[in-house]
Amino acid sequence: MWWGVAAALLANVFISCGFVLEKRALSALPELSVKRPARMVRVLVSSPLWLAGCLSLGLGFAAQLLCYRTLPLAAAQGILVSGLVLLILLSSRFLGERLSARELAGVGAILLSLGMIVLSLDKEADTVSTSAPAGRFLLIALPSLAAGLWLYLAAELRAKRRHRIPTTGIAYGVGVGFLYGVSSLTIKGVSGLVSGSDVLGTAVDLLASPYPYTLAFTGAAGLVMSQAALQRCRASLIVPVCTTANCLHAVAAGTFVFGEPLPDDAPRLLLRLGGIALAVSVLLALPRHDEPAPEETPGGAPAPGPVRGGAVRGDVPGSPPPSAAEPEPPERRPAVLPPAPVPTPHRGGPVP
């Protein structure tokens, strides 16, 4: 069981590094669109940095196979969520996405949730299921895939409307998270069918199950959707939202699909559920958009306010502001003319 914990932590390192490398590569690539997947793939494979990130993600998913094979699904998801700590730190260091005080508090809370989940593990008492009926799996997987695609496409349509509110990436993250949630269930099912002693029998069992086809679809669709969303949004925003949706889906649906019971004794049950709830609540409470920066002039100084009545001496840098009591120089005073004489009426006849 402790090999599963080590595999989960190793998966966190590979996956976090992979997302950061892909984000660095995407920032230098032209804008990607899910409507042109072939062009997107050509652009992506032309970037060596993106290929390195893709390789790192692949190693992370391979480490997840061992994690799902040796740990209950709820415990595995709780530990994998802790990888966001490393992701946030790497995003701050290499992507310039600075951490706020709120995000730093979230990092500490996620570390606490990781400790709670690890303490809830018991090698003798926990039951790890490695198989599930195909009908039960499809009953959860197909509606989840449809919901994820609908959420993502709805976000795309809203983003193209005129006078729209700038997107925060939440809908993108939830849509991709549903696809990755199905992918987590698929990897869990594949891990139960893989056998090193009978390669031919493993291949036959895999082809007869829905897992390879579901994994191929979620891999292709998730690649296109996640890369477009990652290019438009902050990595420290879109990945936590996606991971939260993935964790919620995998724990809720996986318990039903694979029939893994929760811990029997109350202390371990409280630690397990409390750790997962704490991690998910922290992720949901993370800031969803950046605070707007104050507007500045091209020279870096705040924009000056309007000046009424023309230029004054205070407009010149270094000169004191004009005083209301200060008299104007004599040469600028207007000349005062005597009033014109007013004619008086003449009595006794017309005026000549």
Side-chain angles (χ1 to χ4, degrees), residues 19 77 80-82 84 87 173 177 180 238-248 283:
F19 275 124
Q77 283 296 322
L80 291 172
V81 165
S82 67
L84 294 176
L87 173 69
Y180 283 164
I238 193 71
V239 178
V241 173
C242 178
T243 305
T244 301
N246 179 7
C247 178
L248 287 173
L283 295 179

Side-chain angles (χ1 to χ4, degrees), residues 47-130:
S47 171
L49 186 60
W50 183 88
L51 291 176
C54 189
L55 176 61
S56 182
L57 286 177
L59 293 175
F61 293 143
Q64 283 185 0
L65 283 174
L66 178 58
C67 174
Y68 287 133
R69 191 176 180 87
T70 56
L71 288 178
L73 187 60
Q77 283 296 322
I79 297 176
L80 291 172
V81 165
S82 67
L84 294 176
V85 176
L86 179 60
L87 173 69
I88 293 176
L89 295 176
L90 292 177
S91 298
S92 174
R93 175 64 179 84
F94 297 103
L95 301 179
E97 299 176 353
R98 301 302 178 188
L99 292 173
S100 64
R102 189 176 171 185
E103 290 169 334
L104 287 173
V107 170
I110 290 177
L111 286 175
L112 176 61
S113 71
L114 170 60
M116 295 170 62
I117 293 170
V118 171
L119 290 176
S120 73
L121 298 177
D122 189 346
K123 184 177 181 180
E124 303 298 332
D126 286 332
T127 301
V128 180
S129 177
T130 56

Side-chain angles (χ1 to χ4, degrees), residues 5 56 110 176 187 255 280 298:
V5 175
S56 182
I110 290 177
V176 177
I187 294 174
T255 303
V280 172

Side-chain angles (χ1 to χ4, degrees), residues 132-224:
R136 190 187 300 175
F137 171 79
L138 293 175
L139 182 64
I140 294 296
L142 294 180
S144 300
L145 293 175
L149 292 174
W150 178 80
L151 285 171
Y152 193 96
L153 294 177
E156 283 283 285
L157 292 177
R158 287 194 299 269
K160 293 181 179 179
R161 294 176 183 172
R162 297 184 61 185
H163 310 295
R164 66 186 185 276
I165 300 176
T167 179
T168 59
I170 301 301
Y172 290 123
V174 174
V176 177
F178 269 57
L179 263 71
Y180 283 164
V182 175
S183 180
S184 297
L185 299 180
T186 305
I187 294 174
K188 173 75 172 176
V190 170
S191 67
L193 296 178
V194 172
S195 175
S197 59
D198 187 6
V199 178
L200 181 59
T202 298
V204 172
D205 292 340
L206 285 175
L207 293 177
S209 70
Y211 299 138
Y213 315 105
T214 307
L215 193 60
F217 176 79
T218 55
L223 172 67
V224 174

Side-chain angles (χ1 to χ4, degrees), residues 22-44:
E22 287 186 349
K23 178 65 177 178
R24 286 288 296 268
L26 289 169
S27 62
L29 295 178
E31 183 179 359
L32 305 177
S33 173
V34 294
K35 291 186 176 181
R36 303 177 65 184
R39 174 185 175 273
M40 178 186 294
V41 172
R42 288 196 302 269
V43 171
L44 292 176

